[in-house]
Amino acid sequence: MFKGCGGKKEYGKRAVKTKRRDEKMTAKLKTEKCAGNGIVDCVFAAAAVFLTLYYIRISQCGINVCDEWSFIVAARRMINGDVPLLHDRTPVIFSCFFLCPPVRLFYALTGSYTGVILFIRRLYVVCHLIFSSVIYARLRKYDWFALFAAINYMCFVPNEMYSLYYNSISLMAVVTVCLLLFTGRAPGRVRLVLAGAAAACAVLALPHMAFIYFLWSIAVFAVYFFRRGNSEKLSALPVYFSVKGWLYVTLGIAVCAAAVIAGLLSRASFGALIGCLPDFLEYANYTSGSVFGVPRLMSVLRMFGYAPPFLAVLLI
């Protein structure tokens, strides 16, 4: 009897020692993890400061003679009353919606448009730094992979145009969608709706990106069709690959689309806008080689593929 009690006491002592040893090991691992994160944090901070100063310096040199100025001019025209589709039927005209607020703010502060190109360039550098920092923060638990993803994004400048225009804006929107859907915990309703809003911004900046939404919708309903008889397999799907997730993302897209349509209808009649659609589609067909914009989309994705392997890291 006493021997049994002694055995229990001995077992209890060993359990306490094992627990303390595990706690020490856990604390040691946490310390090493924090030290590792500290080194990566310092490397990212140094790289971000260096690249930001470099971009600020290089953004003061020269001007892109192709179309950088045209987007700012189009934003100014929209501020003065021009309506997309009605007065400008180029597919990327809707990207100028995003330039209207900063251009209007610059004019309100300075009273003129002198220097607005430099202002938009510096605003782009700030946005570039913010997005790179958010990518790093969301992926920080991956240490060096997070550093690679964030710096890779920051080193990538579409067409080497240090400005806010359709390519840079659509890339920021796509990154936002990926961060909302693929990082952190499983996305809830709010994050799904916000992801839909970001996807709508990507399409607004570059209409050809809508093709990705159609492909994703087909994939979601195809998976649901083939697995509808197995509730366990359906419940095991990621939320962004479920019909419920599709509905919330589509809701975010619909809200943004309704806001844009309401803005257009406040300046032009429905009939006038509909009458401009044939010319708009003809121009899209001419610039992309297809009314659905597939060749243009492929060229855009190839351009994005030069630098953003960080998108692959988001899927880890």
Side-chain angles (χ1 to χ4, degrees), residues 6 97 179 217 229 256 298:
F97 274 122
L179 291 174
S217 301
C256 290
M298 293 300 104

Side-chain angles (χ1 to χ4, degrees), residues 69-89:
W69 59 271
S70 64
F71 301 118
I72 298 176
V73 171
R76 180 183 176 184
R77 288 170 48 203
M78 291 171 64
I79 292 172
N80 292 334
D82 278 13
V83 182
L85 289 182
L86 192 61
H87 300 115
D88 193 325
R89 297 174 179 84

Side-chain angles (χ1 to χ4, degrees), residues 211-238:
F211 189 69
I212 296 179
Y213 170 76
F214 293 129
L215 287 180
W216 172 66
S217 301
I218 293 172
V220 168
F221 284 100
V223 170
Y224 174 79
F225 176 78
F226 288 110
R227 293 191 176 187
R228 67 185 187 280
N230 192 326
S231 58
E232 293 184 359
K233 288 185 177 180
L234 282 177
S235 61
L237 287 173

Side-chain angles (χ1 to χ4, degrees), residues 7-21:
K8 290 182 179 179
K9 289 181 180 179
E10 187 68 25
Y11 176 78
K13 289 180 180 178
R14 286 199 303 268
V16 171
K17 288 181 180 179
T18 303
K19 183 178 180 181
R20 289 177 179 173
R21 185 171 65 249

Side-chain angles (χ1 to χ4, degrees), residues 28-86:
K28 184 179 179 181
L29 290 173
K30 287 183 178 179
T31 303
E32 293 176 354
K33 181 72 173 177
C34 292
N37 278 337
I39 295 173
V40 179
D41 291 344
C42 292
V43 173
F44 170 74
V49 170
F50 172 78
L51 288 172
T52 300
L53 293 177
Y54 170 75
Y55 288 150
I56 291 175
R57 177 70 182 90
I58 201 172
S59 65
Q60 300 174 357
C61 304
I63 183 172
N64 185 289
V65 297
C66 295
D67 49 10
E68 180 184 8
W69 59 271
S70 64
F71 301 118
I72 298 176
V73 171
R76 180 183 176 184
R77 288 170 48 203
M78 291 171 64
I79 292 172
N80 292 334
D82 278 13
V83 182
L85 289 182
L86 192 61

